[in-house]
Amino acid sequence: HVQYALRVLWTTSDAAQRTTADEWLRKLQDSSDSWRLALTLISNGGNDDVRLFGATLLCNKLRGGGCGVLAPELAVQLRSDLLRLQLVITDGRLRTQLSRAVASLVSVGGGEHEHPTLLLLADADFGALPLECALEIVSLVAEANTLLSVAEVESMQELLHQLLTHSYDSATPPPSQFPARLAAEARAAAQRAPLLRALRMWASLPASEGLTLAMIAETAAYAPLLLALAAGGNALEQTETAEVFCAALDREPVDDSHAFCYLPLNLQLQLMGSLGPALVPMVNAQAADADDDDGAGDDPETEAQLALLRLATMLLRKGASVLREGAASPAPALSLLELLMRASAHGKRAIAETVLAIEPWHSILTATEECPPPLHAQLRAQLTAALCARARFPSDETLRGWGEAELREYDQFRTTYLYTALEDTARSEPAAFSRLALEQLQAAAIGGPLAEGRWQPVEVALFAVRVSAEVAFAEEQSAAILSSLVDAVLQPSVALSSAAAGSMLLLKSRCELLSAFAGYLAAQPPQVLGAAISCVLPCLQHEHLLVAEAAAFAIVHFSYRAPKQIGAGFLCQLLGALNAPMPSIPTELLSRLLEACARCIVAAPPPQPFDALFSPMLARLLQLLEAPTASTTCNNSIVSQADLLALADTLSHLSASLRPLGRAAHGAVGVPASFLHHLWPSWLRAHLLYAASAPTHPSEAEALLQSLCDLCTVCACGAATADFLPLFKPTMTTMCDAFGVARSASSLQLAAKLLDACGEEPTLCGSLTQLLEQMSSIALPVLQEENATKLACAFFELCERYVLFAQTAIAACQQLPGILSANAELLTRFHAKDSAGAAVSLLAAVARTSRSSRTNGQLRQLLEEVLGGKAG
């Protein structure tokens, strides 16, 4: 059956058959028979793929400590069976999966032993393995990092370090805890890479007395390791050596001046001297274009070079004090500094990312602040020029072949990797980027639209100013420059280019810059903020999503920083823009825009144009509900998937628009009663539509339910209690009807939100009891099903809320004994932490409540009966 289901899943194009096979296999994974079946597939599967599925099935069962459901003796036997299977397995992928399963079982059979990995090393079945397989298991134990103690990590680091030293130096005895036959095999050069990988995995784990580079340097292994770094030859061994050094260097302590505490300077310079020449060929290699992201790091040699570059960057970042003498600093350090600067701006993106991800420039610039002025100023100027050159978009010819995905990816690269480095350079001279941008903008304003190749320096100047905005705002000397810069940015010529990509990217960067300047603009005269809004608003309708998104985020930032300064005229323009079609704006961002608009309306003086904001959305909601295809019974649905998603989006937009109104109970505007009673019939109809659609369109219906839950929560919490009370019973009835048709955890979560909003209202006690009765009668019969874990979790969380906030209501619930019995029974088979946590939390809440209140004797009695029975 398993092999047939896999064949269907892998070879059939029929979506329904594939879905059925996938669901069957998932249920199989959750069953108790899957342990035995996994071993059968591994041993007797018809082909390598089937055997690999068996191993993957086993790993999934074991993930997160899943062996806890096995009796200890069965878990020990399972590990022995897997270790013996390793002796006959030849497929590399299958062997790795079996090693991963063994690693998950590392703690079985050891009781409370402090070092279960050392016990595994003493297992005879482990000692019979080939060394490469044994080291892979040891590596995967560290990778899983499941309940490893600091003492165990330190012991394994010491053991593997000694084994590595023994592999290079026969005079160093092997560790006594490692099988002698395997230790003898470790002397072979072919085993160095797996041994280094195992040491690297364990050295990367946190430990108070972990392995450091200074400790490695004291052993006989250091000299050959250093030679392996510089000489190359074996790319895999070179990579693993560099990674071991990186892990050890990460543990090397430094003082406040960025000097190593225990790593001698001569060793630091020796390592720099080895790394520099080894990196020259890669740094000198030219990229195919200003941004080349093709195939970097795909081959072992390139991966080795990048590992060396990581090590060099870490070495100079942590030990930056070696540069404090400026031009008189040691030659290896100055050479490495020059290489890192060039690598930071390299056209091959993987090279630049490797350096910038480690963020070396803050410590380097800090360490060189007090050195002779020429070096620090020269270093900052060169670094600024290099980073700005790397931040430029490629040539127009290259951009003509890019789509939105490539543009977005490059923009993400700039933000992720170049942002911090540019910000670090700006701290030394906060106004530098502002002056640079002002010069670029003034030059651009003279010659008309920017031609191809001329707009990139202007765009990158805007990007650099945005990066350094917060630094510049804190510098008083920047005030005059910022004022002139804002005036220049607001000029129409900024976004004029004869290149289509240039105009679009300039518009985007201008919107992003104005967004970053929102706080500064809020403190300026009203006409300045008005001019900024006038620049941004038209971009909401831009055909390119990147521009529309940038404009939307700018409006959102303006609404936070200056909601009162946005006048009625601009508010009307914004409302007009929001009511017009904006195909470029994703629905999540449109929700944020509507929320921003509501924030401005709340801050505006009366009369506040709430109707202009809400009426179009209410009309859209009615239009979708009254469409000919929309059925509002729980027994039939012919509504389209697109309409369901449109309905969910509209409800989400309403929720976003209502949030800034705050809570009426806290003195805020709150959700108006008239709006609430106008909205709620549509909300009830939409909820019924959800239930009718759930059987045929489950994913779209779930999205609709989530939007309904959000809107109900906002209204129940935001409206005055007296305004929402009349709506509670019809809401409860509709919600229970829908839950009976489509048993969704989101419905239970909605019930919990209603309880939070209305649980303290004494007149609703009977209704709250009735709500729990109905939800329980529907949920309890299905909680025993294997795929009902999420539903059970939500149900027990709802019951816990009742215990905490509506004790009278739950005490009167006839289903309470069944709830507690089901809770205790299901707890015995819950493996997922969240589900088990929800079950335990409910029992704990009942125990605390019954102990702390004399009126809850019934709860205590029920709890004692449940925990005294078989399930307890």
Side-chain angles (χ1 to χ4, degrees):
H1 290 135
V2 174
Q3 297 192 50
Y4 173 76
L6 289 173
R7 190 161 55 250
V8 169
L9 192 64
W10 291 338
T11 64
T12 305
S13 57
D14 185 284
Q17 291 185 36
R18 288 169 57 83
T19 300
T20 302
D22 181 65
E23 290 176 352
W24 187 84
L25 290 169
R26 289 179 184 277
K27 288 181 180 178
L28 174 68
Q29 178 175 303
D30 293 335
S31 70
S32 57
D33 292 335
S34 57
W35 296 102
R36 173 192 56 78
L37 184 59
L39 279 177
T40 302
L41 291 173
I42 295 168
S43 304
N44 304 314
N47 56 54
D48 287 344
D49 288 334
V50 173
R51 289 191 285 273
L52 182 62
F53 173 80
T56 303
L57 176 65
L58 190 59
C59 287
N60 289 339
K61 296 283 289 185
L62 292 168
R63 184 177 293 125
C67 64
V69 300
L70 289 176
E73 62 274 10
L74 293 178
V76 171
Q77 184 60 49
L78 175 62
R79 191 177 77 183
S80 295
D81 291 342
L82 293 175
L83 287 170
R84 292 182 187 126
L85 275 172
Q86 289 279 38
L87 296 174
V88 297
I89 295 297
T90 57
D91 180 75
R93 296 179 304 161
L94 179 56
R95 173 174 281 185
T96 296
Q97 282 294 73
L98 290 183
S99 296
R100 185 167 280 110
V102 172
S104 299
L105 291 162
V106 66
S107 60
V108 302
E112 298 298 321
H113 197 279
E114 190 178 20
H115 304 302
T117 310
L118 294 180
L119 287 182
L120 173 64
L121 299 185
D123 190 311
D125 290 321
F126 180 87
L129 295 175
L131 176 60
E132 186 172 358
C133 181
L135 289 172
E136 182 176 45
I137 292 173
V138 171
S139 299
L140 290 169
V141 171
E143 183 181 272
N145 193 12
T146 304
L147 303 177
L148 296 174
S149 67
V150 171
E152 181 175 12
V153 171
E154 292 175 354
S155 295
M156 287 301 299
Q157 288 182 5
E158 182 180 356
L159 181 149
L160 291 168
H161 183 206
Q162 184 179 351
L163 183 61
L164 179 66
T165 305
H166 170 71
S167 75
Y168 283 109
D169 177 29
S170 59
T172 301
S176 59
Q177 303 97 323
F178 202 75
R181 182 187 65 82
L182 298 182
E185 289 184 23
R187 295 277 300 156
Q191 300 297 337
R192 296 270 165 70
L195 177 52
L196 284 163
R197 181 177 185 274
L199 178 57
R200 184 247 300 179
M201 297 298 294
W202 282 91
S204 300
L205 298 178
S208 54
E209 299 292 335
L211 182 69
T212 66
L213 192 55
M215 294 167 63
I216 296 176
E218 292 175 352
T219 67
Y222 181 70
L225 287 172
L226 197 61
L227 183 63
L229 277 181
N234 187 328
L236 184 57
E237 183 178 345
Q238 190 179 33
T239 300
E240 293 297 349
T241 302
E243 296 293 359
V244 166
F245 275 34
C246 283
L249 189 62
D250 194 42
R251 297 281 176 268
E252 199 70 56
V254 295
D255 60 24
D256 293 340
S257 66
H258 302 285
F260 289 109
C261 297
Y262 304 116
L263 185 67
L265 179 61
N266 65 312
L267 288 179
Q268 184 182 352
L269 295 176
Q270 182 186 26
L271 186 52
M272 288 180 175
S274 297
L275 290 170
L279 290 171
V280 168
M282 179 179 67
V283 176
N284 284 345
Q286 295 299 312
D289 198 351
D291 180 60
D292 180 4
D293 195 33
D294 292 335
D298 289 346
D299 60 275
E301 288 72 22
T302 303
E303 192 58 48
Q305 288 282 295
L306 293 176
L308 293 177
L309 184 59
R310 263 191 300 277
L311 176 58
T313 308
M314 287 185 64
L315 187 63
L316 203 54
R317 176 179 67 84
K318 296 199 70 171
S321 66
V322 72
L323 297 168
R324 61 177 176 265
E325 299 299 326
S329 300
L334 292 175
S335 298
L336 199 59
L337 175 64
E338 190 265 340
L339 281 171
L340 292 190
M341 193 176 306
R342 290 170 54 200
S344 296
H346 204 279
K348 285 188 176 294
R349 199 183 300 179
I351 296 175
E353 288 176 350
T354 298
V355 175
L356 296 172
I358 298 172
E359 299 182 359
W361 296 112
H362 175 71
S363 59
I364 292 173
L365 290 169
T366 302
T368 57
E369 274 181 351
E370 297 183 5
C371 70
L375 176 71
H376 181 71
Q378 182 182 4
L379 172 61
R380 187 187 54 75
Q382 290 177 347
L383 181 60
T384 299
L387 294 173
C388 286
R390 190 59 184 89
R392 288 185 190 179
F393 276 91
S395 66
D396 290 273
E397 181 180 357
T398 299
L399 289 176
R400 278 191 281 272
W402 282 16
E404 182 187 313
E406 289 83 2
L407 288 169
R408 193 178 292 278
E409 183 185 9
Y410 187 74
D411 198 48
Q412 184 65 34
F413 158 71
R414 295 201 310 179
T415 302
T416 303
Y417 292 100
L418 293 166
Y419 199 104
T420 301
L422 284 167
E423 191 175 42
D424 288 337
T425 62
R427 295 184 194 281
S428 300
E429 191 177 352
F433 286 137
S434 300
R435 280 199 299 269
L436 174 64
L438 186 58
E439 292 170 3
Q440 292 284 356
L441 291 171
Q442 289 172 342
I446 298 173
L450 295 167
E452 291 190 0
R454 286 192 59 220
W455 62 268
Q456 284 94 335
V458 178
E459 191 280 335
V460 83
L462 296 176
F463 171 72
V465 171
R466 173 165 67 90
V467 167
S468 61
E470 292 298 326
V471 179
F473 296 152
E475 179 68 30
E476 294 182 4
Q477 297 178 355
S478 301
I481 298 175
L482 289 176
S483 178
S484 301
L485 178 63
V486 168
D487 290 341
V489 168
L490 297 176
Q491 297 303 312
S493 59
V494 170
L496 295 179
S497 173
S498 58
S503 292
M504 182 271 293
L505 291 169
L506 285 169
L507 277 174
K508 169 185 169 296
S509 290
R510 178 165 71 174
C511 288
E512 290 173 337
L513 177 59
L514 292 174
S515 177
F517 274 51
Y520 174 82
L521 294 170
Q524 304 307 305
Q527 62 269 23
V528 177
L529 179 61
I533 296 174
S534 297
C535 286
V536 170
L537 274 178
C539 294
L540 290 173
Q541 306 290 340
H542 199 278
E543 62 181 356
H544 206 291
L545 177 57
L546 288 173
V547 179
E549 282 181 344
F553 281 118
I555 295 295
V556 171
H557 287 163
F558 291 159
S559 73
Y560 277 114
R561 295 297 193 123
K564 294 181 180 180
Q565 291 92 321
I566 298 179
F570 287 115
L571 199 53
C572 290
Q573 290 182 43
L574 179 56
L575 286 166
L578 291 175
N579 293 330
M582 288 192 295
S584 294
I585 301 288
T587 185
E588 297 85 0
L589 187 52
L590 182 55
S591 290
R592 293 190 63 180
L593 264 177
L594 290 162
E595 185 175 351
C597 191
R599 193 176 298 113
C600 296
I601 291 175
V602 169
Q608 298 160 311
F610 285 114
D611 286 344
L613 177 63
F614 295 129
S615 294
M617 285 183 282
L618 287 173
R620 172 68 171 154
L621 181 61
L622 286 171
Q623 178 187 0
L624 289 167
L625 290 171
E626 293 173 356
T629 58
S631 167
T632 54
T633 71
C634 283
N635 301 318
N636 181 36
S637 173
I638 52 176
V639 69
S640 70
Q641 293 166 287
D643 281 347
L644 284 173
L645 293 176
L647 191 57
D649 289 345
T650 303
L651 293 168
S652 295
H653 297 160
L654 277 166
S655 300
S657 304
L658 290 168
R659 285 192 190 98
L661 274 61
R663 298 191 176 200
H666 295 169
V669 174
V671 180
S674 58
F675 171 81
L676 193 62
H677 290 277
H678 188 53
L679 166 68
W680 221 245
S682 297
W683 187 93
L684 296 173
R685 289 177 62 188
H687 206 118
L688 290 174
L689 185 58
Y690 145 74
S693 305
T696 53
H697 305 312
S699 60
E700 291 80 8
E702 186 65 24
L704 174 58
L705 178 59
Q706 192 59 57
S707 296
L708 286 162
C709 293
D710 291 343
L711 182 57
C712 183
T713 302
V714 171
C715 290
C717 296
T721 304
D723 294 336
F724 191 78
L725 281 180
L727 306 177
F728 184 87
K729 288 188 177 181
T731 301
M732 182 189 75
T733 302
T734 303
M735 191 168 58
C736 290
D737 290 346
F739 184 58
V741 175
R743 299 176 182 89
S744 170
S746 297
S747 293
L748 297 169
Q749 292 164 359
L750 172 58
K753 295 293 185 182
L754 283 176
L755 184 64
D756 291 344
C758 308
E760 296 181 358
E761 179 56 41
T763 60
L764 289 179
C765 184
S767 297
L768 290 171
T769 300
Q770 184 183 355
L771 173 62
L772 185 58
E773 292 273 8
Q774 295 186 34
M775 290 288 193
S776 301
S777 65
I778 298 168
L780 287 175
V782 300
L783 292 186
Q784 300 294 337
E785 298 177 6
E786 289 190 350
N787 60 348
T789 302
K790 185 177 180 181
L791 188 71
C793 182
F795 179 70
F796 292 139
E797 286 175 349
L798 171 63
C799 294
E800 182 187 0
R801 299 291 257 276
Y802 266 89
V803 172
L804 297 175
F805 305 117
Q807 296 165 12
T808 305
I810 193 172
C813 179
Q814 299 298 314
Q815 298 276 3
L816 184 57
I819 291 171
L820 293 178
S821 296
N823 176 285
E825 184 175 347
L826 288 171
L827 186 56
T828 64
R829 66 175 182 83
F830 276 152
H831 304 157
K833 181 173 66 174
D834 292 341
S835 304
V840 171
S841 292
L842 172 58
L843 291 176
V846 172
R848 284 195 303 271
T849 302
S850 62
R851 186 173 63 247
S852 62
S853 175
R854 295 180 180 178
T855 61
N856 287 303
Q858 180 188 2
L859 285 177
R860 183 175 184 83
Q861 181 180 353
L862 280 174
L863 184 64
E864 290 175 350
E865 291 174 359
V866 167
L867 295 183
K870 181 179 179 181

